[in-house]
Amino acid sequence: MDVCHNYGLTVLYQPNRTSETSSGPLHTVFDLVAVHGLNGDALGTWTHTQSQTMWLRDILPTVLPTVRVMTYGYNASFKNFTAQQDIRSISAKMLTELVDLRKTEEEMRRPIVLVCHSLGGIIAKKALLLGVSGEQAKVQDAVYGVVFLATPHNGSNLATCGKIIANIVTACSPLNPAKRIIGALQKDSKVLLEITEDFVPRIASLQLVSFFEMKMTNLGFYKTMIVEQDSAILHVPNEVVIGQNADHREIARFDSLHDRNLRPVLSRLDVFRQDIINQLHSMASSQSATEGLGIISTHALFEIPFPPCNTFQGREVLLGQMEAFFHASSAPMSGQLTFAICGLGGSGKTQAALKFATRNRDKYRSGVFFVTASSEPSLVANISRICESLKLGNVSNKASALKEWLSRAENTDWLLIFDNADDLESVRIAQYFPDTSWGHIVVTSRDQGVIGNVTKDGAVLDRLEMGEAIAVLLQKAGYLSPSGEDYEEAKMIVELLGCLPLAVDQAGAYIRSRRKTLTSYRRLYKDRQNDILQFKPRLGEYDNTVFTTWEINFEHVERDSKEASMLLLLFCFLDASNISETMLDRACSPQKRWDRTGEMSELAPIDAGLDSDLIALIKDEVAFDDAIEKLLSFSLIHLDNDVNGLRNFSVHPLVQHCASQRVPSSLQNQWRLQAILIVCHAFPRNKYLESLYGDLGRSQLPHVFRILKEYNQLTEPETCPTSVKYQLSSMLLAASRFSNTSWKREAINHVKQLLQDSRDAYLKVCLAHRESSLLRMLGKRASSNKTIEEFIHSTILPGYDQLLESDARWNAQRGDLILSFAENLIANDALTIARHELLQWKPINPRSPSSMERIVLRGRNIMLGKILKFQGHFQAAVDVLDAVLQESKIDSFYEGTGWRRVLLSNLGDLYCELQRPTDAQSLLEPEFKQMIDSRSQNISSGRRIQLTLAESYIRSGAYEKAEEILSSLAKLYGTIDDPDSIAESGIFRVWASLARIAHVRCCWDEALLNWNKASSALQSLGQQNHSHFGLVQCAIAHALSKLEKIQESSDVSAKAKNLLSSDERRYWIVGFDSYWRDYIIEGIDQSLSALHLS
């Protein structure tokens, strides 16, 4: 190894050509060049602070001995960085150094892989873009792949703010950074955009892996995310994207070979190595093998959750059968090819599918996609992830969008894997198959009936070959240099385990974690064998082997850690794929609830029914970590990280089943109830109480689906404690605000069943409110009214608690029902009756209303202001709504709720009506910016804000700004497959606004097109007999007259005026029902008169 220099190239490891391995002499497969980031250096960037491990030098050569490892250094310190040493000069210097190092013909042909941290990725991209010739161009052509570690492709958010940059400088260096390089890092800066845009065409010949940080970096006085995920990704089809549980510094440093963050890095480098070797072999007979390896075929999107495990062995017969089926020249071409891999849980079905995908990835130019099909929610979530990777937009029906993409003529070479499709009755995977005559589909399932019924062909996995199983066990157990005696002991163990991959893998994990010898493990296993094998297997001879291996693990967990045993049983009844530490912590902490006084209080987890020992365990960080470590040591759970750096746990469904079925049914029901209560207590109730209500609620929905199944599995659900039914009902009402209409209906129906015999008036009125709101959204106003009739005018209900008369929570919820009732009345144009109903409701103590009642009063006053607006009393409406706005500035139950946007939208409407569009913009633009920052602009209240802001731009003549917003909204609404009445109304407003802009610009063809789209939207709303329809028809008639289509214009105008004369004038839609109505009616009269006179 060369002495490491701060600047230039340093060779850290050089494969020794004289060395021999079992497969022959060591040949250098590729050159790896590590490029550090801003304020880094050639050695320190890659060196772990505590262990002092420099992984490029100390670990990588032992794992990939056929890779020459180098590091490139440049003066990136704040002190010495000058304007002369910019990105271009650094990049050019790196190319020159590589030319000087790679002198021989073999070296010049050798592929190069760049591993780049932060700014180093920009240096690498620039090096590939420089206009060079001769030897430097050959270096560029030799680059095979790039691994980016938190590279700010689109600029770092920190670099956009001078103050924050100064803070980083304070943390990294006492001196100021060079302005030129910081300027290049600024988001959307000219330099960075040029590099990224120019680099995209270059990627066709590159393998790309982008790692992004998932932990905030500690800057001493605060933490922040240095490079956000969106900035760390190039968003190109053949890019592999991987999140790391590390901050901006840690993402390039690893403490040892066993560092979990190092594994995916080594795995991707090994994929590169194997792919280069395969291509060398395939090119050996062609001239290209001697001309160079610089240009290597590219791969499309490769969407697998993880590479095959490093202990994967064998399955060559299966892989050969699959390759012959899919790729042999005699393979049938008349239709789509589908193949199933079946077998027992733990037989290696998933690993075999991943191995096939990895080994054949170059054959799938359109991409490889992996879908977990264990449940409908998991399947939908995976399809959503793929749609995001393919940049298919914010479509509501992700499955249809993906099928459409796979059905395109230009996308014919793809592989789609449906993994863990075990419940074929509940999860009908065939409906997700695209209807094409091309493409390959692999299904893994325990159900062998899939072969012939769902897929054309398939295979049932048997045990591993003896030698393969022995290799798995010895590698997993840490026996890197086994003796002959070790080999014989391993042979006896794998025979006992039936050579089943999962059983062998866990046996190795047990041996390693417990520091057992192979002999002691075999003795322990044999001592337990007779007791276990007395149970007759249900699924085959290998079932006992799996259950036996896990039973030993389960008993050791029970013996060694009561806490770990508790957690495992709890995890058995939660959604297997995403048990978040956030949810567990919330479940064992006091949560905010409304009490009967109408004020916020906290419900302790113990009062919610949670077990005191479980609460103590989860809240004790050390004890919890010990229990998690124990479960991880047997591979009974898996550990991931969420976007906030906290942990997510997953459990194999078969582990859940085995661990739960081995305990008595009474204990199963005990932990079932605990799982139900965990989810119920953790689930946020509403946005007034929880600022993160939406994010938390959406993340926990899979657990809601699971515990509903678990509730039905209780021995006697009908005898479930009333307190549990109350918690479940309350949680489901909150959860019914998320996901699609189908789920909302399902949740409401569950609550109806739970409350069938209940006399809890508060929950029943909450149920009525949610059902009424859903029915109104679906346009079923009569049914919506019927749902709430019982509660509207009743202070006390017959048979219910007589104390309701003084229950502020009940009174507030009844007020919400009246608001819902008034919404229906307003929609039916019964404005006077709606106002009367609103004024009938009052707080129990009008002089001192509770917090809940204040929220209802605010909603009532906003609705009263809206009624004034609809009646055309614009200034009076402003007075009412502005009073609400001023009052709310000191109200803690206001900020961050949907009411804010409703209020601001209506005030903005009124300012436009009063010809004060700039006041509307001053009110709405800050809110719009905040919406964009929080990525909430696309929800219903966000769309409403944008519609009003667009109107303000129209009224002030800023048509381009208005069109920008409206065009974006048109695309967004176009992705909604089944829009409710609110969305339909928004669609109408978009097209009517675009039509007005075209109209005033005298672009008559465009105006006519948009008016017709507005007309169609009104027909979808069932308003073809409404004044709005007449007004649109008037506008169409006016456009036709301008196009000199006199008779057609006259006919349309006559019908339109009949509709307008039949309705009392209302101001439903800002601008449209006021000035535009006057303008268009006068315009059509003048146009027709002029044409007749002429």
Side-chain angles (χ1 to χ4, degrees):
M1 183 192 77
D2 295 349
V3 175
C4 189
H5 302 288
N6 287 333
Y7 309 132
L9 279 176
T10 299
V11 178
L12 300 176
Y13 169 75
Q14 173 72 57
N16 186 349
R17 291 178 176 274
T18 62
S19 300
E20 294 281 336
T21 66
S22 59
S23 58
L26 286 175
H27 293 289
T28 304
V29 177
F30 66 85
D31 284 341
L32 183 147
V33 181
V35 188
H36 64 77
L38 186 63
N39 210 38
D41 65 66
L43 193 63
T45 291
W46 318 100
T47 302
H48 193 270
T49 308
Q50 283 74 40
S51 68
Q52 290 300 300
T53 298
M54 203 283 192
W55 68 277
L56 294 168
R57 177 194 63 205
D58 304 332
I59 299 176
L60 189 57
T62 65
V63 180
L64 299 175
T66 58
V67 175
R68 177 163 66 171
V69 184
M70 293 171 276
T71 179
Y72 175 67
Y74 55 95
N75 190 348
S77 70
F78 296 128
K79 177 180 179 181
N80 298 315
F81 205 98
T82 67
Q84 297 301 319
Q85 187 175 354
D86 61 5
I87 292 173
R88 180 185 180 87
S89 62
I90 296 170
S91 304
K93 178 65 174 173
M94 183 174 74
L95 290 178
T96 302
E97 294 250 359
L98 282 167
V99 168
D100 293 340
L101 182 72
R102 293 158 54 93
K103 290 295 187 183
T104 69
E105 184 176 302
E106 185 274 331
E107 285 179 325
M108 286 188 286
R109 291 199 312 265
R110 187 185 301 158
I112 297 171
V113 172
L114 302 175
V115 176
C116 315
H117 176 238
S118 192
L119 173 65
I122 301 173
I123 299 297
K125 290 191 290 185
K126 187 65 176 178
L128 296 175
L129 295 173
L130 289 175
V132 294
S133 58
E135 293 177 325
Q136 287 186 331
K138 291 181 180 180
V139 170
Q140 290 178 329
D141 291 340
V143 175
Y144 162 84
V146 187
V147 176
F148 295 108
L149 301 173
T151 291
H153 297 297
N154 299 306
S156 168
N157 283 335
L158 287 179
T160 64
C161 178
K163 181 179 179 181
I164 301 178
I165 280 290
N167 290 337
I168 296 179
V169 175
T170 302
C172 299
S173 170
L175 302 176
N176 290 327
K179 294 181 179 179
R180 185 168 182 177
I181 197 162
I182 295 302
L185 273 176
Q186 287 181 337
K187 194 168 189 176
D188 296 333
S189 72
K190 183 178 180 181
V191 173
L192 190 57
L193 280 175
E194 287 177 351
I195 293 176
T196 300
E197 289 173 359
D198 293 344
F199 182 69
V200 170
R202 176 71 170 83
I203 65 173
S205 61
L206 295 175
Q207 302 301 306
L208 301 175
V209 182
S210 295
F211 289 87
F212 61 89
E213 60 204 68
M214 298 170 64
K215 285 175 60 178
M216 294 186 178
T217 301
N218 190 341
L219 299 182
F221 40 90
Y222 72 101
K223 292 182 178 181
T224 190
M225 199 73 74
I226 303 295
V227 180
E228 297 285 351
Q229 176 181 348
D230 192 64
S231 180
I233 300 173
L234 280 164
H235 303 286
V236 292
N238 60 321
E239 180 185 25
V240 177
V241 177
I242 303 173
Q244 290 282 63
N245 181 32
D247 64 24
H248 193 68
R249 302 186 191 104
E250 295 169 347
I251 201 167
R253 299 170 177 171
F254 313 106
D255 65 354
S256 69
L257 176 61
H258 304 295
D259 192 319
R260 288 184 177 272
N261 285 331
L262 178 58
R263 294 180 187 177
V265 177
L266 293 179
S267 174
R268 301 319 306 179
L269 292 175
D270 190 48
V271 169
F272 286 0
R273 180 191 64 83
Q274 187 60 51
D275 190 58
I276 291 171
I277 291 173
N278 290 341
Q279 294 195 37
L280 273 171
H281 291 164
S282 65
M283 296 167 64
S285 60
S286 67
Q287 185 64 26
S288 61
T290 59
E291 291 178 346
L293 295 172
I295 302 177
I296 298 177
S297 62
T298 181
H299 299 293
L301 191 66
F302 191 61
E303 269 275 4
I304 64 172
F306 41 81
C309 66
N310 55 12
T311 59
F312 185 90
Q313 297 286 336
R315 301 303 189 198
E316 288 301 323
V317 173
L318 169 69
L319 295 171
Q321 180 183 351
M322 294 176 68
E323 287 168 352
F325 176 74
F326 285 125
H327 303 304
S329 58
S330 60
M333 301 300 293
S334 59
Q336 194 178 80
L337 298 180
T338 54
F339 190 96
I341 305 174
C342 298
L344 171 67
S347 58
K349 302 182 295 295
T350 299
Q351 293 294 328
L354 293 172
K355 188 68 174 179
F356 173 81
T358 302
R359 203 158 90 169
N360 294 274
R361 62 177 295 183
D362 62 311
K363 297 180 176 69
Y364 296 106
R365 291 173 296 178
S366 301
V368 175
F369 311 99
F370 186 98
V371 175
T372 300
S374 57
S375 67
E376 200 76 29
S378 297
L379 190 148
V380 171
N382 277 255
I383 288 176
S384 297
R385 185 199 72 241
I386 294 171
C387 288
E388 291 174 3
S389 298
L390 292 172
K391 302 297 179 186
L392 298 185
N394 188 23
V395 294
S396 58
N397 192 328
K398 307 287 188 182
S400 294
L402 177 58
K403 287 166 67 176
E404 188 275 331
W405 188 90
L406 295 171
S407 301
R408 295 176 188 172
E410 66 269 27
N411 302 326
T412 58
D413 300 319
W414 47 260
L415 172 65
L416 184 58
I417 300 171
F418 288 87
D419 186 50
N420 284 337
D422 299 324
D423 189 0
L424 296 172
E425 292 185 1
S426 298
V427 184
R428 306 278 182 174
I429 60 171
Q431 67 180 333
Y432 295 95
F433 292 3
D435 185 17
T436 65
S437 58
W438 56 75
H440 297 168
I441 295 175
V442 172
V443 177
T444 73
S445 178
R446 282 184 284 170
D447 190 348
Q448 298 179 28
V450 69
I451 302 174
N453 292 312
V454 178
T455 66
K456 294 180 179 179
D457 201 356
V460 179
L461 288 185
D462 202 344
R463 65 181 72 190
L464 287 170
E465 296 296 325
M466 181 67 67
E468 298 163 354
I470 291 171
V472 171
L473 178 65
L474 291 174
Q475 184 176 348
K476 190 72 174 183
Y479 283 70
L480 302 181
S481 301
S483 64
E485 183 179 349
D486 293 334
Y487 189 88
E488 290 301 318
E489 283 289 342
K491 180 179 179 181
M492 287 185 279
I493 290 174
V494 298
E495 284 178 336
L496 291 171
L497 296 175
C499 293
L500 196 69
L502 183 58
V504 174
D505 187 83
Q506 287 198 335
Y510 180 88
I511 292 167
R512 190 166 194 164
S513 65
R514 287 294 181 176
R515 304 294 190 271
K516 294 284 186 182
T517 65
L518 294 166
T519 303
S520 63
Y521 178 85
R522 182 170 63 87
R523 184 180 65 250
L524 177 62
Y525 179 85
K526 292 185 71 173
D527 289 341
R528 297 294 300 156
Q529 184 179 24
N530 289 338
D531 290 338
I532 300 301
L533 294 182
Q534 66 180 318
F535 297 101
K536 184 177 180 180
R538 183 176 66 85
L539 299 177
E541 59 177 326
Y542 304 116
D543 284 40
N544 271 333
T545 307
V546 176
F547 280 81
T548 302
T549 304
W550 285 343
E551 180 61 27
I552 296 173
N553 298 154
F554 295 152
E555 290 197 356
H556 273 281
V557 169
E558 287 179 336
R559 186 190 67 195
D560 297 344
S561 174
K562 173 189 173 185
E563 293 78 9
S565 181
M566 290 170 58
L567 277 186
L568 181 59
L569 283 171
L570 174 67
F571 287 3
C572 286
F573 301 104
L574 295 170
D575 181 69
S577 61
N578 187 21
I579 303 169
S580 73
E581 197 169 14
T582 299
M583 182 183 73
L584 296 175
D585 182 70
R586 282 180 55 83
C588 295
S589 304
Q591 296 302 321
K592 297 174 182 178
R593 301 287 188 267
W594 294 119
D595 62 22
R596 297 187 71 160
T597 67
E599 301 298 335
M600 185 190 73
S601 62
E602 289 192 337
L603 177 65
I606 192 73
D607 296 329
L610 286 163
D611 182 80
S612 58
D613 291 338
L614 180 61
I615 298 170
L617 168 60
I618 293 176
K619 296 302 290 183
D620 185 330
E621 187 174 353
V622 174
F624 182 76
D625 286 347
D626 287 344
I628 291 295
E629 184 178 8
K630 175 62 65 177
L631 297 176
L632 287 170
S633 69
F634 294 111
S635 300
L636 292 174
I637 66 171
H638 295 279
L639 177 62
D640 303 301
N641 291 87
D642 65 20
V643 293
N644 296 316
L646 296 174
R647 293 175 293 186
N648 285 335
F649 310 105
S650 58
V651 191
H652 193 287
L654 191 57
V655 173
Q656 288 183 311
H657 175 75
C658 295
S660 62
Q661 290 300 309
R662 60 185 296 277
V663 301
S665 60
S666 58
L667 192 56
Q668 291 179 36
N669 283 337
Q670 174 187 329
W671 285 104
R672 241 184 217 108
L673 283 175
Q674 288 300 306
I676 291 170
L677 292 172
I678 281 274
V679 177
C680 288
H681 190 61
F683 201 92
R685 289 307 188 263
N686 62 54
K687 208 160 188 175
Y688 296 111
L689 300 176
E690 303 259 12
S691 60
L692 297 177
Y693 166 67
D695 293 337
L696 289 170
R698 280 183 284 272
S699 68
Q700 292 180 26
L701 270 185
H703 295 289
V704 176
F705 304 148
R706 174 61 186 266
I707 66 167
L708 282 177
K709 294 181 179 179
E710 295 303 330
Y711 177 80
N712 293 330
Q713 290 297 315
L714 288 170
T715 307
E716 295 180 351
E718 63 277 2
T719 63
C720 185
T722 302
S723 60
V724 175
K725 291 183 178 181
Y726 178 92
Q727 294 261 25
L728 190 55
S729 298
S730 175
M731 181 274 293
L732 286 173
L733 288 171
S736 70
R737 296 179 181 274
F738 298 97
S739 193
N740 53 35
T741 302
S742 176
W743 158 247
K744 296 179 194 293
R745 287 171 173 160
E746 181 183 349
I748 288 171
N749 287 335
H750 276 295
V751 177
K752 284 182 175 180
Q753 294 175 10
L754 289 166
L755 298 181
Q756 191 170 11
D757 300 320
S758 173
R759 295 177 62 187
D760 190 302
Y762 173 67
L763 274 184
K764 288 212 166 186
V765 77
C766 289
L767 170 61
H769 180 243
R770 285 298 305 129
E771 187 174 14
S772 170
S773 299
L774 175 60
L775 291 168
R776 183 172 61 253
M777 285 176 58
L778 296 174
K780 301 178 180 179
R781 291 193 291 271
S783 298
S784 175
N785 282 338
K786 186 176 180 181
T787 300
I788 57 181
E789 283 174 353
E790 177 185 11
F791 301 93
I792 289 297
H793 300 120
S794 301
T795 305
I796 303 175
L797 299 175
Y800 286 92
D801 189 349
Q802 298 301 305
L803 295 177
L804 288 179
E805 190 170 14
S806 60
D807 190 325
R809 181 179 62 174
W810 150 260
N811 187 51
Q813 191 61 54
R814 195 174 64 85
D816 273 336
L817 276 188
I818 292 174
L819 293 183
S820 186
F821 183 55
E823 284 273 18
N824 292 337
L825 291 171
I826 290 172
N828 288 325
D829 200 18
L831 301 184
T832 303
I833 300 175
R835 175 181 171 82
H836 173 77
E837 291 291 342
L838 290 169
L839 293 175
Q840 290 302 301
W841 180 87
K842 290 185 173 50
I844 292 174
N845 183 355
R847 293 185 177 181
S848 181
S850 67
S851 295
M852 283 187 77
E853 290 171 321
R854 289 206 320 273
I855 293 171
V856 176
L857 281 171
R858 179 192 312 132
R860 185 193 71 175
N861 291 339
I862 292 175
M863 199 166 291
L864 289 170
K866 288 168 64 176
I867 290 173
L868 289 170
K869 181 184 76 169
F870 296 150
Q871 292 173 330
H873 307 308
F874 300 139
Q875 186 57 56
V878 167
D879 294 340
V880 172
L881 296 184
D882 190 60
V884 175
L885 180 62
Q886 299 309 317
E887 178 187 336
S888 66
K889 291 180 179 179
I890 58 173
D891 189 341
S892 58
F893 296 113
Y894 174 73
E895 198 69 36
T897 69
W899 282 113
R900 174 178 177 79
R901 291 179 182 173
V902 172
L903 177 57
L904 294 180
S905 299
N906 280 281
L907 267 173
D909 288 346
L910 290 165
Y911 287 147
C912 289
E913 296 287 19
L914 293 169
Q915 300 183 28
R916 295 163 55 186
T918 55
D919 289 341
Q921 292 159 23
S922 298
L923 186 71
L924 299 175
E925 284 177 341
E927 184 70 17
F928 185 41
K929 183 180 183 303
Q930 183 179 344
M931 285 159 40
I932 293 174
D933 291 341
S934 63
R935 299 180 181 179
S936 61
Q937 71 271 26
N938 292 338
I939 64 176
S940 180
S941 59
R943 299 193 297 263
R944 178 68 173 85
I945 286 280
Q946 293 180 71
L947 286 167
T948 301
L949 185 58
E951 178 63 28
S952 74
Y953 291 142
I954 292 174
R955 297 303 296 273
S956 59
Y959 297 133
E960 291 79 8
K961 286 186 176 181
E963 285 179 317
E964 182 179 356
I965 292 176
L966 294 168
S967 297
S968 176
L969 285 172
K971 293 178 182 178
L972 177 61
Y973 281 121
T975 64
I976 303 176
D977 284 340
D978 186 21
D980 57 29
S981 59
I982 296 175
E984 288 280 12
S985 179
I987 293 169
F988 165 70
R989 287 192 59 176
V990 165
W991 292 117
S993 297
L994 287 170
R996 282 187 287 146
I997 293 173
H999 212 107
V1000 298
R1001 286 174 165 173
C1002 300
C1003 300
W1004 304 116
D1005 288 325
E1006 181 183 352
L1008 194 59
L1009 176 65
N1010 290 335
W1011 283 124
N1012 281 320
K1013 290 181 178 179
S1015 178
S1016 296
L1018 286 176
Q1019 290 174 352
S1020 297
L1021 282 165
Q1023 293 190 9
Q1024 52 268 42
N1025 295 319
H1026 192 274
S1027 61
H1028 282 161
F1029 193 78
L1031 191 52
V1032 168
Q1033 295 304 305
C1034 270
I1036 290 174
H1038 188 231
L1040 288 170
S1041 71
K1042 293 297 183 180
L1043 292 170
E1044 298 186 358
K1045 298 181 180 181
I1046 303 171
Q1047 187 58 51
E1048 189 176 352
S1049 173
S1050 180
D1051 293 343
V1052 173
S1053 176
K1055 294 177 182 178
K1057 288 185 176 181
N1058 287 334
L1059 287 174
L1060 290 174
S1061 63
S1062 63
D1063 274 354
E1064 181 181 356
R1065 187 165 184 175
R1066 297 295 188 204
Y1067 299 86
W1068 300 111
I1069 296 178
V1070 58
F1072 186 73
D1073 291 307
S1074 52
Y1075 85 91
W1076 185 256
R1077 176 169 176 155
D1078 297 335
Y1079 167 82
I1080 204 66
I1081 292 176
E1082 181 180 353
I1084 185 62
D1085 289 342
Q1086 290 178 353
S1087 295
L1088 291 176
S1089 296
L1091 287 170
H1092 285 307
L1093 288 173
S1094 62

